[in-house]
Coordinates of all heavy atoms in Angstrom, one line a residue:
A1 N 92.9 119.3 86.8 CA 93.7 118.3 86.3 C 94.5 117.5 87.5 O 94.6 116.2 87.3 CB 94.8 118.8 85.4
F2 N 94.8 118.1 88.4 CA 95.5 117.5 89.5 C 94.6 116.6 90.3 O 95.0 115.5 90.7 CB 96.1 118.5 90.5 CG 97.3 119.3 90.0 CD1 97.3 120.7 89.9 CD2 98.4 118.6 89.6 CE1 98.4 121.3 89.4 CE2 99.6 119.3 89.1 CZ 99.5 120.6 89.0
Q3 N 93.3 117.1 90.5 CA 92.4 116.2 91.1 C 92.1 114.9 90.4 O 92.0 113.9 91.0 CB 91.1 117.0 91.4 CG 91.1 117.7 92.7 CD 89.7 118.4 92.9 OE1 89.0 118.9 91.9 NE2 89.2 118.3 94.1
T4 N 92.0 115.1 89.1 CA 91.7 113.9 88.2 C 93.0 112.9 88.4 O 92.7 111.7 88.5 CB 91.6 114.4 86.7 OG1 90.5 115.2 86.7 CG2 91.3 113.3 85.9
L5 N 94.1 113.5 88.4 CA 95.3 112.5 88.5 C 95.3 111.9 89.9 O 95.6 110.7 90.0 CB 96.6 113.3 88.4 CG 97.9 112.7 88.3 CD1 97.9 111.8 87.1 CD2 99.0 113.7 88.1
G6 N 94.9 112.6 91.0 CA 94.8 111.9 92.2 C 93.7 110.9 92.3 O 93.9 109.8 92.9
L7 N 92.5 111.1 91.7 CA 91.5 110.2 91.7 C 91.8 109.0 90.9 O 91.4 107.8 91.2 CB 90.1 110.8 91.3 CG 89.6 111.9 92.2 CD1 88.4 112.6 91.6 CD2 89.3 111.4 93.5
V8 N 92.5 109.2 89.8 CA 93.0 108.0 89.0 C 93.9 107.2 89.8 O 94.0 106.0 89.8 CB 93.5 108.5 87.7 CG1 94.3 107.3 87.0 CG2 92.4 109.0 86.8
G9 N 94.8 107.9 90.5 CA 95.8 107.2 91.4 C 95.0 106.3 92.4 O 95.4 105.2 92.8
F10 N 93.9 106.8 93.1 CA 93.2 106.1 94.1 C 92.5 104.9 93.4 O 92.4 103.9 94.0 CB 92.2 107.0 94.8 CG 92.8 107.9 95.9 CD1 92.6 109.1 96.0 CD2 93.5 107.2 96.9 CE1 93.2 110.0 97.0 CE2 94.1 108.0 97.9 CZ 93.9 109.3 97.9
A11 N 92.1 105.1 92.2 CA 91.3 104.0 91.5 C 92.2 102.9 91.2 O 91.9 101.7 91.2 CB 90.7 104.5 90.2
N12 N 93.5 103.1 91.0 CA 94.5 102.1 90.7 C 94.9 101.3 91.9 O 95.7 100.3 91.8 CB 95.8 102.7 89.9 CG 95.4 102.9 88.5 OD1 94.7 102.3 87.9 ND2 95.9 104.0 88.0
L13 N 94.7 101.9 93.1 CA 95.1 101.1 94.3 C 94.1 100.1 94.8 O 94.4 99.3 95.7 CB 95.3 102.3 95.4 CG 96.4 103.3 95.1 CD1 96.3 104.3 96.2 CD2 97.7 102.6 95.0
A14 N 92.9 100.0 94.3 CA 92.0 99.0 94.8 C 92.3 97.6 94.4 O 93.0 97.4 93.3 CB 90.6 99.4 94.2
P15 N 92.1 96.6 95.2 CA 92.3 95.3 94.9 C 91.5 94.8 93.7 O 90.4 95.4 93.4 CB 92.1 94.4 96.1 CG 91.1 95.3 96.8 CD 91.5 96.8 96.6
P16 N 91.9 93.8 92.9 CA 91.2 93.3 91.8 C 89.7 92.7 92.2 O 89.6 92.2 93.3 CB 92.0 92.2 91.2 CG 93.0 91.8 92.2 CD 93.2 93.0 93.2
L17 N 88.8 92.8 91.4 CA 87.4 92.3 91.6 C 87.4 90.8 91.1 O 87.9 90.5 90.0 CB 86.4 93.2 91.0 CG 86.3 94.6 91.6 CD1 85.3 95.5 90.8 CD2 86.1 94.6 93.1
T18 N 86.5 90.1 91.8 CA 86.2 88.7 91.3 C 84.7 88.5 91.3 O 83.9 89.3 91.8 CB 86.8 87.6 92.2 OG1 86.2 87.8 93.6 CG2 88.3 87.8 92.3
N19 N 84.3 87.4 90.6 CA 83.0 87.0 90.6 C 82.6 86.3 91.9 O 83.1 85.1 92.2 CB 82.7 86.2 89.5 CG 81.2 85.8 89.2 OD1 80.4 86.2 90.2 ND2 80.9 85.0 88.3
P20 N 81.8 86.8 92.8 CA 81.5 86.1 94.1 C 80.7 84.8 93.9 O 80.7 84.0 94.8 CB 80.8 87.0 94.9 CG 80.2 88.1 94.0 CD 81.1 88.1 92.7
L21 N 80.1 84.6 92.7 CA 79.4 83.4 92.4 C 80.2 82.3 91.8 O 79.6 81.2 91.5 CB 78.1 83.8 91.6 CG 77.2 84.7 92.2 CD1 76.2 85.1 91.3 CD2 76.7 84.3 93.6
A22 N 81.4 82.5 91.5 CA 82.3 81.5 90.9 C 82.5 80.3 91.9 O 82.4 80.5 93.0 CB 83.6 82.1 90.5
P23 N 82.7 79.2 91.4 CA 82.9 78.0 92.3 C 84.1 78.1 93.3 O 83.9 77.6 94.4 CB 83.1 76.8 91.3 CG 82.8 77.3 89.9 CD 82.9 78.8 90.0
D24 N 85.2 78.7 92.9 CA 86.3 78.8 93.8 C 86.3 80.2 94.6 O 87.3 80.4 95.3 CB 87.6 78.6 93.0 CG 87.7 79.7 91.9 OD1 86.8 80.3 91.6 OD2 88.8 80.0 91.4
A25 N 85.3 80.8 94.5 CA 85.2 82.2 95.1 C 84.9 82.0 96.7 O 84.3 81.1 97.1 CB 84.3 83.1 94.5
T26 N 85.3 83.0 97.4 CA 85.0 82.9 98.8 C 83.8 83.7 99.2 O 83.3 83.7 100.4 CB 86.2 83.6 99.7 OG1 86.4 84.9 99.2 CG2 87.5 82.8 99.5
G27 N 83.1 84.4 98.3 CA 82.0 85.1 98.5 C 82.1 86.6 98.5 O 81.2 87.4 98.6
C28 N 83.4 87.0 98.7 CA 83.8 88.5 98.7 C 84.2 88.9 97.3 O 85.0 88.2 96.6 CB 85.0 88.6 99.6 SG 85.5 90.3 99.8
P29 N 83.6 90.0 96.9 CA 84.0 90.4 95.4 C 85.4 91.0 95.4 O 85.9 91.1 94.3 CB 83.0 91.5 95.2 CG 82.4 91.9 96.5 CD 82.7 90.8 97.4
L30 N 86.1 91.3 96.4 CA 87.5 91.8 96.4 C 88.4 90.7 96.6 O 88.4 89.8 97.5 CB 87.7 92.8 97.5 CG 86.9 94.1 97.5 CD1 87.1 94.9 98.7 CD2 87.1 94.8 96.2
D31 N 89.3 90.5 95.7 CA 90.2 89.5 95.6 C 91.6 89.7 96.3 O 92.6 90.1 95.7 CB 90.5 89.0 94.1 CG 91.2 87.6 94.1 OD1 91.5 87.0 95.1 OD2 91.6 87.2 93.0
F32 N 91.6 89.7 97.6 CA 92.7 90.0 98.4 C 93.8 88.8 98.3 O 94.9 89.1 98.4 CB 92.4 90.2 99.9 CG 91.6 91.4 100.1 CD1 90.2 91.3 100.6 CD2 92.1 92.6 100.0 CE1 89.4 92.4 100.8 CE2 91.3 93.9 100.2 CZ 90.0 93.7 100.6
K33 N 93.3 87.6 98.0 CA 94.3 86.5 97.9 C 95.2 86.7 96.8 O 96.3 86.5 96.9 CB 93.4 85.2 97.7 CG 94.3 84.0 98.0 CD 93.5 82.6 97.9 CE 91.9 82.8 97.9 NZ 91.2 81.5 97.7
K34 N 94.7 87.2 95.6 CA 95.5 87.4 94.4 C 96.5 88.6 94.7 O 97.6 88.5 94.3 CB 94.7 87.6 93.2 CG 95.5 87.9 92.0 CD 94.6 88.1 90.7 CE 95.4 88.5 89.5 NZ 96.7 88.9 89.6
A35 N 96.0 89.7 95.3 CA 96.9 90.8 95.5 C 98.0 90.3 96.5 O 99.2 90.8 96.4 CB 96.1 91.9 96.1
R36 N 97.6 89.5 97.5 CA 98.7 89.1 98.5 C 99.7 88.2 97.8 O 100.9 88.2 98.0 CB 98.0 88.5 99.7 CG 98.9 88.2 100.8 CD 98.1 87.7 102.0 NE 97.0 88.5 102.4 CZ 95.7 87.9 102.4 NH1 95.6 86.7 102.1 NH2 94.8 88.7 102.6
S37 N 99.3 87.2 96.9 CA 100.1 86.3 96.3 C 101.1 87.0 95.3 O 102.3 86.7 95.1 CB 99.4 85.2 95.6 OG 98.7 85.8 94.5
D38 N 100.6 88.0 94.5 CA 101.5 88.8 93.7 C 102.5 89.6 94.4 O 103.6 89.6 94.0 CB 100.6 89.9 92.9 CG 99.7 89.2 91.9 OD1 99.9 88.1 91.5 OD2 98.9 90.0 91.4
R39 N 102.2 90.2 95.7 CA 103.1 90.7 96.4 C 104.2 89.8 97.0 O 105.5 90.2 97.1 CB 102.5 91.5 97.6 CG 103.3 92.6 98.2 CD 102.5 93.4 99.3 NE 101.0 93.2 99.1 CZ 100.2 93.2 100.1 NH1 100.8 93.2 101.4 NH2 99.0 92.9 100.1
E40 N 103.8 88.6 97.4 CA 104.8 87.6 97.9 C 105.7 87.1 96.8 O 106.8 86.9 97.1 CB 103.9 86.4 98.5 CG 103.3 86.8 99.8 CD 102.4 85.7 100.4 OE1 102.2 84.7 99.6 OE2 101.8 86.0 101.4
R41 N 105.2 87.1 95.6 CA 106.1 86.7 94.5 C 107.0 87.8 94.0 O 108.0 87.6 93.4 CB 105.3 86.2 93.3 CG 104.7 84.8 93.4 CD 104.0 84.4 92.2 NE 102.9 85.3 92.0 CZ 102.3 85.5 90.9 NH1 102.8 84.9 89.8 NH2 101.3 86.3 90.7
G42 N 106.8 89.0 94.4 CA 107.6 90.1 94.1 C 107.2 90.8 92.8 O 108.0 91.7 92.3
D43 N 105.9 90.5 92.4 CA 105.5 91.2 91.2 C 105.1 92.7 91.5 O 104.3 92.8 92.4 CB 104.3 90.5 90.7 CG 104.5 89.2 90.0 OD1 105.7 88.9 89.8 OD2 103.5 88.4 89.7
V44 N 105.7 93.6 90.9 CA 105.4 95.0 91.1 C 104.7 95.5 89.9 O 105.2 95.4 88.7 CB 106.7 95.7 91.3 CG1 106.3 97.2 91.7 CG2 107.4 95.1 92.5
H45 N 103.5 96.1 90.0 CA 102.8 96.6 88.9 C 102.0 97.8 89.4 O 101.9 98.1 90.5 CB 101.9 95.5 88.3 CG 100.9 95.1 89.3 ND1 101.2 94.0 90.3 CD2 99.6 95.3 89.6 CE1 100.2 93.9 91.0 NE2 99.1 94.6 90.7
G46 N 101.5 98.6 88.4 CA 100.7 99.8 88.6 C 101.6 100.9 89.2 O 102.8 101.1 88.8
L47 N 101.0 101.7 90.0 CA 101.7 102.8 90.6 C 102.9 102.4 91.6 O 103.8 103.1 91.8 CB 100.8 103.7 91.4 CG 99.7 104.5 90.6 CD1 98.8 105.1 91.5 CD2 100.4 105.3 89.7
Q48 N 102.8 101.2 92.1 CA 103.9 100.8 93.0 C 105.2 100.5 92.2 O 106.2 100.4 92.8 CB 103.5 99.5 93.7 CG 102.3 99.7 94.5 CD 102.4 99.1 95.8 OE1 103.0 98.1 96.1 NE2 101.6 99.7 96.7
R49 N 105.1 100.5 90.9 CA 106.2 100.3 90.0 C 107.1 101.7 90.0 O 108.3 101.7 89.8 CB 105.8 99.9 88.6 CG 107.0 99.6 87.7 CD 106.5 99.2 86.3 NE 106.0 97.9 86.5 CZ 106.4 96.8 85.8 NH1 107.3 97.0 84.8 NH2 106.0 95.7 86.0
I50 N 106.3 102.8 90.2 CA 106.9 104.1 90.1 C 107.3 104.6 91.5 O 108.5 105.2 91.8 CB 105.9 105.1 89.6 CG1 105.5 104.6 88.2 CG2 106.5 106.5 89.6 CD1 104.3 105.4 87.6
T51 N 106.6 104.3 92.5 CA 106.8 104.8 93.9 C 106.4 103.7 94.9 O 105.5 102.9 94.6 CB 106.1 106.2 94.2 OG1 106.5 106.5 95.5 CG2 104.6 106.0 94.0
R52 N 107.1 103.7 96.1 CA 106.6 102.9 97.2 C 105.4 103.3 97.9 O 104.7 102.4 98.6 CB 107.7 102.7 98.2 CG 108.9 101.9 97.7 CD 110.0 101.7 98.7 NE 110.3 103.0 99.2 CZ 111.1 103.3 100.2 NH1 111.6 102.2 101.0 NH2 111.4 104.5 100.7
H53 N 105.0 104.5 97.7 CA 103.9 105.1 98.5 C 102.9 105.8 97.5 O 102.8 107.0 97.6 CB 104.4 106.1 99.7 CG 105.4 105.5 100.4 ND1 105.0 104.6 101.5 CD2 106.7 105.7 100.6 CE1 106.2 104.2 102.2 NE2 107.2 104.9 101.6
P54 N 102.2 105.0 96.8 CA 101.2 105.7 95.8 C 100.1 106.4 96.6 O 99.5 107.3 95.9 CB 100.8 104.5 95.0 CG 100.9 103.2 95.8 CD 102.1 103.5 96.6
Q55 N 99.7 106.0 97.8 CA 98.6 106.6 98.5 C 99.0 108.0 98.7 O 98.1 108.9 98.8 CB 98.3 105.9 99.7 CG 97.7 104.5 99.5 CD 98.9 103.4 99.5 OE1 100.1 103.8 99.5 NE2 98.5 102.2 99.6
F56 N 100.3 108.3 99.3 CA 100.6 109.5 99.6 C 100.6 110.6 98.3 O 100.0 111.6 98.3 CB 102.2 109.6 99.9 CG 102.4 109.2 101.4 CD1 103.6 108.7 101.7 CD2 101.4 109.3 102.3 CE1 103.8 108.3 103.1 CE2 101.7 108.9 103.7 CZ 102.9 108.5 104.0
W57 N 101.0 110.0 97.2 CA 101.0 110.8 96.0 C 99.7 111.1 95.4 O 99.3 112.2 94.9 CB 102.0 110.2 94.8 CG 103.3 110.3 95.3 CD1 104.1 109.3 95.7 CD2 104.1 111.5 95.3 NE1 105.3 109.8 96.0 CE2 105.4 111.2 95.7 CE3 103.9 112.8 95.1 CZ2 106.4 112.0 96.0 CZ3 104.9 113.7 95.2 CH2 106.2 113.3 95.7
A58 N 98.8 110.1 95.5 CA 97.4 110.2 95.1 C 96.7 111.3 95.9 O 96.0 112.3 95.5 CB 96.6 109.0 95.1
M59 N 97.0 111.3 97.2 CA 96.4 112.2 98.1 C 97.0 113.7 97.9 O 96.3 114.6 98.0 CB 96.5 111.9 99.6 CG 95.7 112.7 100.6 SD 95.9 112.1 102.2 CE 95.5 110.4 102.1
G60 N 98.2 113.6 97.7 CA 98.9 114.9 97.3 C 98.4 115.6 96.1 O 98.2 116.8 96.1
F61 N 98.1 114.9 95.0 CA 97.5 115.4 93.8 C 96.1 115.9 94.0 O 95.8 117.0 93.5 CB 97.7 114.5 92.6 CG 99.1 114.4 92.0 CD1 99.8 113.3 91.9 CD2 99.6 115.6 91.5 CE1 101.1 113.2 91.5 CE2 100.9 115.5 90.9 CZ 101.6 114.3 90.9
C62 N 95.4 115.2 94.8 CA 94.1 115.6 95.1 C 94.1 116.9 95.9 O 93.3 117.9 95.6 CB 93.3 114.6 96.0 SG 92.6 113.3 94.9
G63 N 95.1 117.1 96.8 CA 95.2 118.3 97.6 C 95.7 119.5 96.7 O 95.2 120.6 96.8
L64 N 96.5 119.2 95.7 CA 96.9 120.2 94.8 C 95.8 120.8 93.9 O 95.7 121.9 93.7 CB 98.1 119.7 93.8 CG 99.5 119.7 94.4 CD1 100.5 119.1 93.4 CD2 99.9 121.2 94.7
G65 N 94.9 119.8 93.6 CA 93.7 120.2 92.8 C 92.7 121.0 93.6 O 92.3 122.1 93.1
V66 N 92.6 120.7 94.7 CA 91.8 121.5 95.7 C 92.3 122.9 95.9 O 91.6 124.0 95.9 CB 91.4 120.8 97.0 CG1 90.8 121.7 98.0 CG2 90.6 119.5 96.8
A67 N 93.6 122.9 96.2 CA 94.2 124.2 96.4 C 94.3 125.1 95.2 O 94.1 126.3 95.3 CB 95.7 124.0 96.8
A68 N 94.3 124.5 94.0 CA 94.2 125.4 92.8 C 92.9 125.9 92.5 O 92.8 126.9 91.8 CB 94.8 124.6 91.6
Q69 N 91.8 125.3 93.0 CA 90.5 125.6 92.6 C 89.8 126.6 93.7 O 88.9 127.3 93.4 CB 89.5 124.4 92.4 CG 89.9 123.6 91.2 CD 89.0 122.4 91.1 OE1 88.3 122.0 92.2 NE2 89.1 121.7 90.0
T70 N 90.3 126.5 94.9 CA 89.6 127.3 95.9 C 90.0 128.7 96.0 O 91.2 129.2 95.7 CB 89.9 126.7 97.3 OG1 89.1 127.3 98.3 CG2 91.2 126.8 97.7
P71 N 89.0 129.7 96.3 CA 89.4 131.1 96.3 C 89.9 131.5 97.7 O 90.2 132.6 98.0 CB 88.1 131.8 95.9 CG 87.1 130.9 96.4 CD 87.7 129.5 96.2
F72 N 89.8 130.5 98.7 CA 90.1 130.8 100.1 C 91.5 130.5 100.5 O 91.9 129.3 100.2 CB 89.1 130.1 101.0 CG 87.6 130.5 100.6 CD1 86.8 129.5 100.2 CD2 87.1 131.8 100.8 CE1 85.5 129.9 99.8 CE2 85.8 132.0 100.6 CZ 85.1 131.2 100.0
A73 N 92.2 131.3 101.1 CA 93.6 131.0 101.5 C 93.7 130.0 102.5 O 94.6 129.2 102.5 CB 94.3 132.3 102.0
G74 N 92.8 129.9 103.4 CA 92.8 128.9 104.4 C 92.7 127.5 104.0 O 93.3 126.5 104.3
T75 N 91.6 127.4 103.1 CA 91.4 126.1 102.4 C 92.6 125.7 101.6 O 93.0 124.5 101.6 CB 90.1 126.1 101.6 OG1 89.0 126.6 102.4 CG2 89.8 124.8 101.0
A76 N 93.2 126.7 100.9 CA 94.4 126.3 100.1 C 95.6 125.8 100.9 O 96.2 124.9 100.6 CB 94.8 127.5 99.2
A77 N 95.7 126.5 102.0 CA 96.8 126.1 102.9 C 96.6 124.9 103.5 O 97.6 124.0 103.6 CB 96.9 127.2 104.1
A78 N 95.3 124.5 103.9 CA 95.1 123.2 104.4 C 95.3 122.1 103.4 O 95.8 120.9 103.7 CB 93.7 123.1 105.0
A79 N 94.8 122.3 102.1 CA 94.9 121.3 101.1 C 96.4 121.1 100.6 O 96.7 120.1 100.2 CB 94.1 121.8 99.9
L80 N 97.2 122.2 100.8 CA 98.7 122.0 100.4 C 99.4 121.2 101.4 O 100.5 120.8 101.2 CB 99.3 123.4 100.2 CG 98.8 124.1 98.9 CD1 99.4 125.4 98.9 CD2 99.2 123.3 97.8
G81 N 98.8 120.9 102.5 CA 99.4 119.9 103.5 C 99.6 118.6 103.0 O 100.6 117.8 103.3
F82 N 98.6 118.1 102.1 CA 98.7 116.7 101.6 C 99.9 116.6 100.6 O 100.7 115.6 100.7 CB 97.5 116.4 100.9 CG 96.3 116.3 101.9 CD1 95.2 117.2 101.7 CD2 96.3 115.3 102.8 CE1 94.1 117.0 102.6 CE2 95.2 115.2 103.8 CZ 94.2 116.1 103.6
P83 N 100.2 117.5 99.6 CA 101.4 117.4 98.9 C 102.7 117.4 99.7 O 103.7 116.9 99.3 CB 101.3 118.5 97.9 CG 99.9 118.9 97.9 CD 99.3 118.6 99.2
L84 N 102.7 118.3 100.8 CA 103.7 118.4 101.7 C 104.1 117.0 102.2 O 105.2 116.5 102.3 CB 103.5 119.5 102.7 CG 104.7 119.7 103.7 CD1 105.9 120.2 103.0 CD2 104.2 120.6 104.7
V85 N 103.1 116.4 102.8 CA 103.3 115.0 103.3 C 103.7 114.0 102.3 O 104.5 113.1 102.6 CB 101.9 114.5 104.0 CG1 102.0 113.1 104.4 CG2 101.7 115.3 105.2
A86 N 103.1 114.1 101.1 CA 103.6 113.2 100.0 C 105.1 113.4 99.7 O 105.9 112.5 99.4 CB 102.7 113.4 98.8
G87 N 105.5 114.7 99.6 CA 106.8 115.0 99.3 C 107.9 114.5 100.4 O 108.9 113.9 100.1
L88 N 107.4 114.7 101.6 CA 108.3 114.3 102.7 C 108.2 112.8 103.0 O 109.4 112.3 103.3 CB 108.0 115.2 104.1 CG 108.2 116.6 104.0 CD1 107.7 117.2 105.3 CD2 109.7 116.9 103.8
G89 N 107.1 112.2 102.9 CA 107.0 110.8 103.2 C 107.1 109.9 102.1 O 107.3 108.7 102.3
G90 N 107.1 110.4 100.9 CA 107.2 109.5 99.7 C 108.6 109.3 99.1 O 108.9 108.7 98.2
V91 N 109.6 110.1 99.8 CA 110.9 110.0 99.3 C 111.7 108.9 100.0 O 111.6 108.5 101.1 CB 111.7 111.3 99.4 CG1 113.1 111.3 99.1 CG2 110.9 112.4 98.7

């Protein structure tokens, strides 16, 4: 469940997609221009409405999922570093 939450968090962080064949498109399917203009206007949406550092929290939840599933203490300790960084850096 924690890994799923982390992966959904990463999926929400991607910039919007555009049609590269549209007349006003630059040829790149990622629309960085729209994401930049939304940020300049002050529009806050998605995970950024909840926290300023959604990447930390997505990585932290992925780490919690790995730590919960592994039978090895070393892997669990290494994976628990990500939620630690999210907790310290995301506040």
Side-chain angles (χ1 to χ4, degrees):
F2 288 123
Q3 271 185 319
T4 303
L5 189 60
L7 293 174
V8 167
F10 280 128
N12 284 324
L13 296 175
L17 297 176
T18 62
N19 182 3
L21 302 177
D24 60 342
T26 60
C28 180
L30 299 176
D31 192 5
F32 293 112
K33 195 178 343 175
K34 180 180 179 337
R36 195 174 306 121
S37 68
D38 288 347
R39 197 172 346 141
E40 289 172 356
R41 283 186 295 161
D43 289 347
V44 180
H45 58 280
L47 291 176
Q48 300 222 335
R49 187 176 286 235
I50 300 168
T51 178
R52 290 182 302 169
H53 305 289
Q55 297 90 350
F56 282 155
W57 290 106
M59 194 178 307
F61 280 118
C62 283
L64 279 174
V66 169
Q69 290 179 350
T70 186
F72 304 111
T75 304
L80 286 175
F82 295 115
L84 180 67
V85 168
L88 293 176
V91 176

